[in-house]
Amino acid sequence: MAVIISAEKVNKYFDTLHVLKDISIDIHEGEVVCVIGPSGSGKSTFLRCINQLESTSSGVIRINDEIIGFRQQGNKLHPLKDKQIAKQRSKVGMVFQRFNLFPHKTVLENIIEGPVYVQKRPAAELKKEAMELLKKVGLAEKANSYPNELSGGQQQRVAIARTLAMRPQAILFDEPTSALDPELVGDVLAVMKELAQSGMTMIVVTHEIGFCREVADKVLFMESGAIVASDTPDNMLINPKHPRVREFISAVL
Ligand code: ADP
Ligand code: MG
């Protein structure tokens, strides 16, 4: 399978704080990679760099072989303009812990907003597509509701539909169920699992170990800005060899 996202020796500093340390990884088409690790280890920053909400300090990230955030000239990298970055960004979706839906727009309007204004696609076609997406996340009957009329789990499923409406090549999830009441987590994970099975390329930062075991092709463990272990879910989560991973797993289970 082709590599969709690749990171090569990516470093990120916030002033003097070294937050990502030589991160290198290839993520292939259709792969589901779960990322676990303690708070502050750089998981969100890694996703934010892939989605260019942060710029990298050194190293390169490529999406489909295209360097993101920079234009290469000889062996020099020049930063891209905001408009070009926005275009690149729309290729990768991101789902956050907080759903960030527009409160004054209906569910349907939230879903078509990006494709209409960013991709300039026709609204009528998009409405039809949005209804299909809402069916997919089990919320067809909520099309005309406002976000505050939905539970957190329903809002997160709308956020996933909104991301899908942009037709991304991969989706990054940053602790998508951490802000939800426990009884609402299952429905969101079920939608994510279905998405994974449909062949979507996904990077998922999560502490839902059951989901990782069932859905991930690969699990990464990050600590202090580095990927310190990477293995199959079984090797990583059932009987981890790496002592820090073992300690972490027993603490979150
Ligand atoms: P995680 O998602 O694994 O909890 P983060 O990527 O959010 O970790 O944070 C990694 C480190 O970077 C932490 O020490 C955090 O305080 C720091 N950090 C994150 N964002 C910023 C920022 N915008 N400015 C300064 N420091 C930041
Ligand atoms: Mg985080």
Side-chain angles (χ1 to χ4, degrees):
M1 281 291 189
V3 173
I4 290 212
I5 300 172
S6 83
E8 202 183 314
K9 294 206 165 171
V10 168
N11 285 274
K12 172 69 181 173
Y13 291 84
F14 289 110
D15 292 320
T16 55
L17 188 65
H18 196 179
V19 173
L20 295 180
K21 299 173 183 163
D22 275 337
I23 300 281
S24 293
I25 185 174
D26 283 342
I27 292 163
H28 299 81
E29 191 175 349
E31 215 173 7
V32 178
V33 175
C34 284
V35 185
I36 60 173
S39 175
S41 58
K43 305 179 299 294
S44 295
T45 304
F46 179 46
L47 295 191
R48 291 171 64 81
C49 284
I50 296 173
N51 206 29
Q52 301 191 68
L53 297 168
E54 301 287 353
S55 61
T56 52
S57 306
S58 70
V60 286
I61 298 176
R62 291 186 176 82
I63 310 238
N64 279 334
D65 280 335
E66 184 182 340
I67 295 179
I68 58 159
F70 298 91
R71 180 173 54 83
Q72 193 166 24
Q73 207 169 32
N75 51 13
K76 269 203 161 160
L77 294 177
H78 304 277
L80 291 179
K81 301 212 163 54
D82 287 351
K83 205 174 161 189
Q84 292 163 306
I85 287 179
K87 200 170 159 207
Q88 285 185 335
R89 182 180 293 138
S90 70
K91 293 181 186 170
V92 177
M94 185 141 171
V95 174
F96 302 88
Q97 187 172 340
R98 303 246 161 236
F99 342 107
N100 309 327
L101 298 174
F102 293 114
H104 57 287
K105 287 184 188 281
T106 65
V107 162
L108 194 77
E109 288 164 351
N110 265 284
I111 294 174
I112 66 171
E113 165 92 15
V116 167
Y117 291 100
V118 180
Q119 299 178 333
K120 316 274 185 222
R121 285 160 56 200
E125 171 196 315
L126 283 165
K127 277 186 189 157
K128 230 175 106 192
E129 208 174 293
M131 286 309 300
E132 290 302 313
L133 289 172
L134 278 175
K135 248 187 243 164
K136 202 165 165 173
V137 301
L139 291 172
E141 77 288 358
K142 299 292 186 190
N144 297 313
S145 302
Y146 286 87
N148 68 5
E149 296 167 333
L150 305 184
S151 72
Q154 289 171 331
Q155 289 185 56
Q156 190 60 299
R157 284 184 279 149
V158 172
I160 293 172
R162 175 183 59 176
T163 302
L164 287 171
M166 294 290 279
R167 298 183 177 164
Q169 293 171 6
I171 304 184
L172 318 174
F173 293 84
D174 193 359
E175 301 201 32
T177 59
S178 301
L180 301 177
D181 291 334
E183 75 271 22
L184 304 177
V185 168
D187 287 342
V188 173
L189 293 179
V191 166
M192 291 168 59
K193 185 176 165 189
E194 218 177 280
L195 208 54
Q197 285 166 344
S198 76
M200 179 60 76
T201 308
M202 300 167 40
I203 306 181
V204 186
V205 173
T206 184
H207 295 135
E208 294 290 336
I209 300 300
F211 175 86
C212 297
R213 278 186 59 179
E214 212 181 333
V215 180
D217 296 299
K218 193 193 287 171
V219 179
L220 310 180
F221 180 76
M222 279 186 77
E223 184 163 54
S224 309
I227 297 174
V228 298
S230 162
D231 212 331
T232 61
D234 282 359
N235 287 345
M236 198 73 150
L237 305 170
I238 297 177
N239 194 8
K241 289 186 211 74
H242 200 289
R244 267 302 286 134
V245 180
R246 196 159 43 213
E247 198 183 326
F248 179 80
I249 299 290
S250 57
V252 295
L253 276 184

